[in-house]
Amino acid sequence: MASRGQQETTRLKQNMEAQMERLVQQLIDLEECKDELEPEEYQETKDETLDQLKEFKHSLDKLLQGNLSLVDELNGMQLAIQAAISNAFKTPEVIRLFAKKQPDQLRQKLSEIQRDAKIGKIPADQAKQQTVEILTALKNLGEELTSDESFYLQSNSSASMKQFEEVAMTMGGGAALKVAGNQVQQMPMNKIELRVLIRYCWKRGLSTRKAAEEICAAEGEGTIAYAAISKWYKRFDSGDMTLEDKPRSGRSLKLDDGDLQTGLNIAPSSSTRELADELGVGKSTIHRHLRQLDFVHKKPRQDPHELTEAQANRRVDIHTHTHTHTRLDHNCPTNKNMKL
């Protein structure tokens, strides 16, 4: 029978894994909905999820201090989160497999990427990014790479990936974890400082793209995207110079099919807009789920309206005119020869 300490460790591990799975699933859902979102909304939602990952990593780091049994169990999760928040890894599925320490599945994913790239199913740049991510994950999970894989990784790693590698090499000793933990603790201040830089660029009259280039050049690759800067430029343009977050009023990306089906059962002829308003989601989300349900929208049958006297007389005139022209004309030579 497991000791109380072992049970507690198991429960903590399961809790951490569940939280990690939830956050990774958010990233996956976001990528699936990317084409349905405005660039600004997509980037804002992604930034919020990455912020949640940073907060989660801070909690994880504190939990693992002095708990060697959990460190051994969850070090893959630590590395995966660090890879995500440092912008070294951009593929949610790879982050998930990395966190779960599943090298065989990573190898399978690598084969799929190579196959898809060969037939042109995915762009070459995307295939390269994902290949580098997988090889980096395998390396940090202790898997041996071939000489070709090692050369490919060395030749194609981005600056952010190389920075992550440096951090990953020292995470076992705890020094990098301490640095990362301090960065997470300072996150609210860092966000404000970043927004101060954005406001400074706005006052200088820089474009959003130029501002992003300058900030990333000073603070590191991937620090911020110009779409996120655009949001703050709009706020400053409106005269609002505050730097604090405001409550979100956007609609959810998630929808329960059961709720949608209930809404359709109650009012089968509801429009997508009506369903979206009722369920508190976007129209694009309703469209996507209706396609998944193979739902065919049918307009409600309308009762015939009562004709006015003028409309009734008009219909009689049309009928009489049509009937007159379809009668046989006995003066027509052709009709004289017809047997009645």
Side-chain angles (χ1 to χ4, degrees), residues 92-293:
E93 183 59 27
V94 176
I95 295 171
R96 168 188 275 165
L97 297 176
F98 189 8
K100 291 184 175 182
K101 301 171 71 171
Q102 296 179 329
D104 291 341
Q105 287 84 343
L106 283 167
R107 283 286 181 191
Q108 182 178 347
K109 181 71 175 176
L110 180 60
S111 298
E112 293 172 359
I113 292 169
Q114 292 171 341
R115 179 200 63 205
D116 290 345
K118 185 176 295 186
I119 63 177
K121 189 175 180 180
I122 60 175
D125 288 346
Q126 181 180 339
K128 182 175 75 172
Q129 169 68 27
Q130 294 182 2
T131 299
V132 169
E133 290 179 18
I134 291 176
L135 293 178
T136 302
L138 289 170
K139 179 181 176 181
N140 282 280
L141 291 176
E143 296 295 307
E144 186 175 351
L145 303 183
T146 66
S147 57
D148 288 342
E149 289 173 339
S150 297
F151 179 77
Y152 185 93
L153 184 59
Q154 184 177 3
S155 303
N156 294 284
S157 291
S158 63
S160 58
M161 186 66 77
K162 291 177 180 177
Q163 290 174 359
F164 164 71
E165 283 273 58
E166 292 176 2
V167 172
M169 288 178 63
T170 58
M171 285 184 80
L177 280 177
K178 184 176 181 181
V179 172
N182 289 337
Q183 290 175 343
V184 174
Q185 286 178 331
Q186 297 170 1
M187 182 187 62
M189 179 59 69
N190 286 342
K191 288 171 66 174
I192 297 298
E193 290 173 351
L194 184 59
R195 292 165 188 177
V196 169
L197 290 177
I198 296 172
R199 188 168 61 184
Y200 175 65
C201 292
W202 173 79
K203 289 182 177 180
R204 290 168 57 199
L206 299 182
S207 67
T208 55
R209 191 177 294 276
K210 183 63 176 176
E213 291 174 357
E214 287 203 3
I215 292 173
C216 289
E219 300 297 325
E221 181 183 352
T223 299
I224 194 168
Y226 72 87
I229 293 178
S230 177
K231 179 192 73 171
W232 289 99
Y233 269 35
K234 289 178 180 178
R235 178 186 287 197
F236 301 147
D237 287 339
S238 71
D240 184 355
M241 296 296 164
T242 60
L243 301 174
E244 291 75 22
D245 290 317
K246 292 183 177 180
R248 289 201 64 191
S249 58
R251 295 193 170 204
S252 172
L253 299 175
K254 303 293 291 181
L255 172 64
D256 184 88
D257 285 339
D259 292 340
L260 177 58
Q261 190 64 60
T262 300
L264 291 171
N265 292 340
I266 295 173
S269 60
S270 297
S271 66
T272 53
R273 180 178 295 279
E274 290 169 339
L275 289 169
D277 291 340
E278 179 68 23
L279 298 173
V281 296
K283 285 178 61 180
S284 58
T285 302
I286 294 292
H287 276 298
R288 179 160 49 86
H289 281 261
L290 288 177
R291 288 198 302 269
Q292 293 171 354
L293 294 173

Side-chain angles (χ1 to χ4, degrees), residues 279-329:
L279 298 173
V281 296
K283 285 178 61 180
S284 58
T285 302
I286 294 292
H287 276 298
R288 179 160 49 86
H289 281 261
L290 288 177
R291 288 198 302 269
Q292 293 171 354
L293 294 173
D294 293 327
F295 179 79
V296 179
H297 185 270
K298 296 182 179 179
K299 292 184 177 180
R301 181 177 179 179
Q302 297 181 346
D303 295 329
H305 62 277
E306 186 175 348
L307 298 178
T308 64
E309 183 178 354
Q311 290 172 331
N313 291 336
R314 175 60 178 161
R315 291 196 179 186
V316 170
D317 291 342
I318 293 173
H319 175 73
T320 303
H321 178 76
T322 304
H323 181 67
T324 300
H325 281 269
T326 56
R327 288 185 303 172
L328 291 174
D329 186 350

